[in-house]
Amino acid sequence: MGPGEEHSDQELLRAISDGAHAALRELYERHAPWLLLRLQRRSPDPQLAEEAVQDTFVAVWRTSATFSGRGEVAAWIWGIGIRRLIDRMRRTQRFEPLPEGRADVVVSAEDQVLLGVEFGDLAGALSRLSPELRAVVQATVLDGLTTKEAAQLLGIPSGTVKTRMLRARAQLRGELA
Amino acid sequence: MIWHVSSDLLERYARDDVDAPQAFSIEAHLLSCEPCRANTTRLVDVDLLERLWSEVRSQISAPPIGSFERVLVRLGIKDYTARLLAATPSLRRSWILAVAAVLLLAVAVADRVAHGYLLFLTIAPMLPLAGVAAAYGPGIDPTYEVGIAAPMRSFRLLLIRTTAVLATTVALSFMAALLLPGFDWKVAAWLLPSLALVTSSLALATAMHPLWAAGTVALAWIAVTGTGAFLALGKLHARDIFGSTMQIALLCVIAAALTTLMARRDGFEKGDHQ
Amino acid sequence: MTNVLVSGAVKRFGRTRALDGASFEAGPGITGLLGPNGAGKTTLLRVLATVMSLNEGEIRVFGRDPAGHRDRLEIRRRLGYMPQEPGFHKNFTAFEFVDYVAILKEMTHRRTRHDEVHRVLVAVGLEGAQSKKIKALSGGMRRRVALAQALLGEPELLILDEPTAGLDPEQRLRFRETMSHLGADHSIVLSTHQTEDVAALCSRVVVMNHGRNLFSGTPRDLAELARGAVWLSEERAHGARLSYRTGEGRYRNIGTAPDGADQVDPTVEDGYLTLLGDEAFVEAA
């Protein structure tokens, strides 16, 4: 890899498969920050999120060849990261419910318009869901977890995840219809 | 991409100062927007990122811990000691299989041949001797020279390896001995000879090349059992030869060898073996 | 500040004397030990590295005598040794090997040890190859692995036995670069039979042959030994001890220069050849 050349994430993954440490370092610099921020928001303990980030990049090093080539590398990294966090949480046996119910913040008018463009009324409908329902929507829809994984992340039984998803869907459908 | 996350919003996100829909939106966006991801870099503590990277790098470079080492660590051995043992040629699978094969052969012969048990008693104690001789020393351990120049006491390395090889071979010999016909004194009669051969070989190694030491001791042992076999052709039984007298004699040999070894152990640090 | 002091060193192997009254001194910077094969360089370095002991003579490393048990341990803690033919355990990767030596150097804490292993591998330019098996590495890279393990723990004194042997010119250049960086903070003793290494790197040089010293001084002083004895000519000079054709087409001659000869400044190599005497010329012819 030459200096001063911009390599795509895909190219970095290929270099990683060939054993290039420098490529992993580059990928780390691009993705570790946002991954850490996103995992911290789902972890009961900041240290677990940090450890999960470490585990993620070690896993990236070892399994770089398994990236299918389709979709964003960032999404692939996220899939690894969230599951590493769940592993860590299970190992330390922490099943506290995640902090919920942030007070809604005043959003600038411009941001509100832009967010509205991205998601339409969905943003409003989402904010009207109760925190528990919103959590399962985030885990399954946004984070891409299976019912079982969502259950592990949130510290609730799988059955509860399913019922809450049904209720969330019903409520959203009702609002957006 | 029609919009990007403003710096202000990103900072609030990093501070956890956004509501759920905003967070959803930002997170979904970051998965597919490289410039916005780049903007998150300055929002995370640089030292933290470096520390985490250092740990990642250590893990990916680190030699994969083989199953052998894992077992050792489980048994309470320190990870770095386990690393030293993992580099011992005579603890490799191939070696252990060879030892097992020889033992089984000796057991099979013992079953079929008159006084065949004498053969087992001759061979079994020489196996740990061979293992220890192949564990350390100039010409055997490729890193011998570098090891001498290093501060860690070579004697310590030798002891670690000897103990491991002895333990392994003794375990194998014990299992093989259980296969011998008749569950009696034979099952453990080879143990003291094993210890005696190994300790006297180490003691001799303070004065000569380890391979010479091992060879001398092996020859001496063969002479002893050979004489015993010769006598057995007469009227004496194997039990009489390898019985209490010899076992006591062997204990004396072990004691003498250990004393000599401890007294002269600095010899291993000198590296003057040629 | 002298780190190493050897005088009157004698080392016998059976009937041969590998060292026959050799002396040696080294301080900060890079000291070269120059001599043909069999001169006793490796033996001297082994003695310095405390791998061997002397039969006669005095040796002090960091002011301590390696014959003493405790002193020897102290010396070993502060030196790094790169043997001429380092052995590697089969199937080890570069990282694993250096890590193994790091354990022998008493670095028991895993994380710190790994960081140190990584540091030395970067210092010799092997960061990209650290996960490769040693048997899959080229000769030049293996030498770099051997050099890396010597650098562990930032030893004050580095003892390198023929570190450039078998390296191609590009690798040798890169090695010299590494050496000049290291020479700033470490005391280095390296042996070689290549005069270019000495000319390029060393602030002091000791020439040895048959286990004895022939010269001790700066590379410039060594070159000066041949002052007035080196000249160029169009034809081969038959009276010279050595006459060889240079790339430009003229002949370079060493020996007794005839009057009016086209004398040139002597190089370190010229001085070295002059010092070795007839023996060298028999080899070089």
Side-chain angles (χ1 to χ4, degrees):
Chain A
M1 280 198 356
E5 291 170 45
E6 264 298 303
H7 294 271
S8 72
D9 285 348
Q10 238 99 326
E11 287 170 339
L12 287 180
L13 275 185
R14 268 196 291 278
I16 289 170
S17 298
D18 286 334
H21 283 233
L24 184 70
R25 170 85 212 205
E26 176 65 33
L27 201 69
Y28 177 86
E29 284 181 6
R30 290 183 193 178
H31 295 278
W34 69 260
L35 181 66
L36 184 62
L37 290 175
R38 189 166 169 180
L39 286 177
Q40 275 171 343
R41 294 172 53 84
R42 285 148 178 76
S43 168
D45 176 358
Q47 196 179 331
L48 284 183
E50 289 168 13
E51 289 168 1
V53 168
Q54 279 172 13
D55 293 346
T56 306
F57 284 91
V58 173
V60 166
W61 174 259
R62 297 201 177 127
T63 63
S64 56
T66 65
F67 176 63
S68 64
R70 282 180 283 111
E72 292 274 346
V73 171
W76 181 69
I77 291 178
W78 169 250
I80 298 175
I82 185 66
R83 286 170 179 93
R84 292 285 81 81
L85 178 65
I86 295 175
D87 275 347
R88 284 270 170 184
M89 284 168 64
R90 288 170 64 200
R91 268 188 264 166
T92 53
Q93 308 250 290
R94 278 189 229 222
F95 286 110
E96 305 150 23
L98 294 169
E100 321 251 13
R102 267 166 280 286
D104 275 1
V105 174
V106 174
V107 180
S108 78
E110 186 188 53
D111 281 349
Q112 210 153 35
V113 168
L114 291 172
L115 285 170
V117 168
E118 186 89 347
F119 283 111
D121 282 339
L122 185 56
L126 277 174
S127 59
R128 281 186 285 277
L129 285 176
S130 69
E132 317 92 59
L133 296 189
R134 199 162 52 230
V136 298
V137 172
Q138 175 178 281
T140 53
V141 177
L142 183 64
D143 293 348
L145 298 176
T146 63
T147 311
K148 185 169 171 217
E149 288 165 340
Q152 287 168 341
L153 180 69
L154 301 172
I156 54 180
S158 293
T160 315
V161 171
K162 284 196 197 122
T163 43
R164 286 186 188 176
M165 265 315 289
L166 285 172
R167 279 166 47 204
R169 272 204 206 100
Q171 188 174 329
L172 288 172
R173 224 179 286 134
E175 291 220 29
L176 296 171
Chain B
M1 197 73 63
I2 37 171
W3 69 273
H4 291 277
V5 188
S6 69
S7 316
D8 180 57
L9 196 54
L10 261 186
E11 270 171 40
R12 294 221 309 276
Y13 170 73
R15 285 200 311 266
D16 197 17
D17 196 11
V18 291
D19 65 21
Q22 287 168 317
F24 274 38
S25 178
I26 293 168
E27 287 173 352
H29 178 81
L30 284 179
L31 278 188
S32 50
C33 178
E34 198 264 313
C36 286
R37 282 199 299 267
N39 282 336
T40 61
T41 308
R42 58 190 169 74
L43 298 171
V44 180
D45 177 38
V46 166
D47 290 327
L48 174 60
L49 284 176
E50 264 314 303
R51 180 168 62 79
L52 297 182
W53 168 251
S54 165
E55 185 60 45
V56 170
R57 192 192 57 215
S58 166
Q59 283 190 45
I60 64 177
S61 313
I65 302 180
S67 39
F68 178 62
E69 281 172 72
R70 256 193 286 265
V71 167
L72 290 178
V73 171
R74 196 67 60 82
L75 290 172
I77 295 175
K78 297 246 170 44
D79 61 350
Y80 52 88
T81 311
R83 272 264 94 210
L84 292 177
L85 286 174
T88 315
S90 43
L91 287 176
R92 298 229 160 280
R93 206 181 337 197
S94 48
W95 179 275
I96 291 179
L97 286 176
V99 167
V102 170
L103 282 168
L104 286 175
L105 201 60
V107 166
V109 167
D111 212 4
R112 285 158 186 52
V113 173
H115 303 298
Y117 179 60
L118 276 177
L119 191 64
F120 183 84
L121 276 183
T122 311
I123 291 177
M126 293 209 287
L127 292 173
L129 181 65
V132 169
Y136 175 81
I140 295 152
D141 184 345
T143 56
Y144 177 72
E145 224 183 334
V146 164
I148 291 284
M152 186 177 114
R153 310 210 46 180
S154 301
F155 181 57
R156 181 162 175 264
L157 181 63
L158 179 61
L159 275 186
I160 293 170
R161 290 199 167 148
T162 303
T163 314
V165 170
L166 203 48
T168 326
T169 327
V170 161
L172 286 171
S173 301
F174 194 67
M175 287 192 278
L178 286 173
L179 294 173
L180 287 169
F183 189 82
D184 55 11
W185 63 277
K186 294 196 205 100
V187 166
W190 50 267
L191 183 59
L192 282 184
S194 298
L195 295 175
L197 291 190
V198 167
T199 49
S200 34
S201 165
L202 287 181
L204 274 182
T206 59
M208 59 177 81
H209 192 286
L211 282 181
W212 281 111
T216 312
V217 169
L219 283 175
W221 177 244
I222 292 176
V224 165
T225 56
T227 318
F230 185 67
L231 292 172
L233 284 176
K235 289 128 203 157
L236 295 174
H237 195 271
R239 191 191 305 128
D240 302 325
I241 303 160
F242 285 89
S244 14
T245 328
M246 173 175 274
Q247 302 287 330
I248 292 173
L250 287 171
L251 274 173
C252 295
V253 168
I254 293 173
L258 282 176
T259 320
T260 319
L261 185 62
M262 292 313 282
R264 293 174 53 97
R265 65 191 189 275
D266 283 346
F268 291 108
E269 314 305 327
K270 291 218 184 96
D272 261 289
H273 299 286
Q274 279 304 299
Chain C
M1 191 241 336
T2 315
N3 276 324
V4 177
L5 203 58
V6 177
S7 71
V10 175
K11 179 68 183 175
R12 283 183 286 268
F13 294 121
R15 258 181 250 143
T16 33
R17 287 186 163 216
L19 292 178
D20 197 10
S23 300
F24 187 82
E25 220 179 285
I30 307 180
T31 307
L33 187 55
L34 183 60
N37 288 330
K41 308 192 295 292
T42 297
T43 310
L44 182 61
L45 291 186
R46 281 204 176 122
V47 170
L48 290 182
T50 72
V51 173
M52 268 185 196
S53 53
L54 291 176
N55 295 124
E56 288 168 45
E58 285 225 344
I59 166 170
R60 296 280 180 278
V61 182
F62 304 124
R64 294 169 188 259
D65 185 349
H69 163 60
R70 231 174 269 286
D71 284 330
R72 195 165 51 228
L73 204 62
E74 252 319 297
I75 294 173
R76 285 177 180 169
R77 289 207 172 102
R78 293 157 70 182
L79 70 76
Y81 173 50
M82 174 186 169
Q84 189 171 20
E85 272 156 47
F88 303 104
H89 283 293
K90 254 197 325 184
N91 290 325
F92 266 12
T93 63
F95 187 96
E96 285 175 327
F97 173 74
V98 181
D99 185 55
Y100 176 81
V101 180
I103 296 175
L104 291 180
K105 292 196 178 183
E106 303 180 319
M107 293 182 211
T108 49
H109 185 250
R110 198 164 163 270
R111 254 294 296 287
T112 341
R113 185 174 73 239
H114 284 176
D115 284 346
E116 178 65 5
V117 171
H118 184 258
R119 183 190 73 82
V120 302
L121 285 171
V122 169
V124 302
L126 281 179
E127 185 175 12
Q130 57 189 296
S131 305
K132 296 219 166 89
K133 293 229 158 112
I134 293 183
K135 56 186 179 188
L137 295 177
S138 68
M141 292 174 105
R142 287 190 204 185
R143 292 220 139 256
R144 283 195 266 159
V145 174
L147 177 60
Q149 66 75 27
L151 296 174
L152 286 169
E154 290 190 272
E156 288 165 53
L157 176 61
L158 277 175
I159 300 174
L160 313 176
D161 198 346
E162 307 251 4
T164 58
L167 295 184
D168 66 39
E170 196 206 311
Q171 292 167 331
R172 188 168 288 134
L173 257 161
R174 189 194 270 144
F175 174 80
R176 285 191 200 149
E177 220 180 314
T178 315
M179 282 292 108
S180 57
H181 286 310
L182 293 173
D185 316 298
H186 302 76
S187 210
I188 304 181
V189 174
L190 59 83
S191 72
T192 178
H193 53 260
Q194 305 265 1
T195 50
E196 302 88 53
D197 290 338
V198 169
L201 283 175
C202 305
S203 48
R204 289 192 63 80
V205 59
V206 169
V207 181
M208 263 182 89
N209 202 3
H210 301 305
R212 269 180 244 117
N213 290 54
L214 296 180
F215 172 87
S216 175
T218 66
R220 190 90 295 272
D221 292 340
L222 180 56
E224 282 300 308
L225 289 182
R227 169 73 57 191
V230 187
W231 73 100
L232 297 176
S233 60
E234 303 300 324
E235 304 279 312
R236 184 183 288 278
H238 293 286
R241 288 167 112 183
L242 181 67
S243 181
Y244 61 91
R245 206 157 182 280
T246 65
E248 290 102 48
R250 304 180 76 192
Y251 282 82
R252 191 183 181 86
N253 311 293
I254 306 177
T256 317
D259 293 327
D262 183 7
Q263 293 195 11
V264 287
D265 287 329
T267 62
V268 173
E269 183 181 48
D270 297 326
Y272 176 58
L273 291 173
T274 308
L275 200 58
L276 285 184
D278 290 311
E279 213 179 294
F281 298 119
V282 168
E283 274 183 42

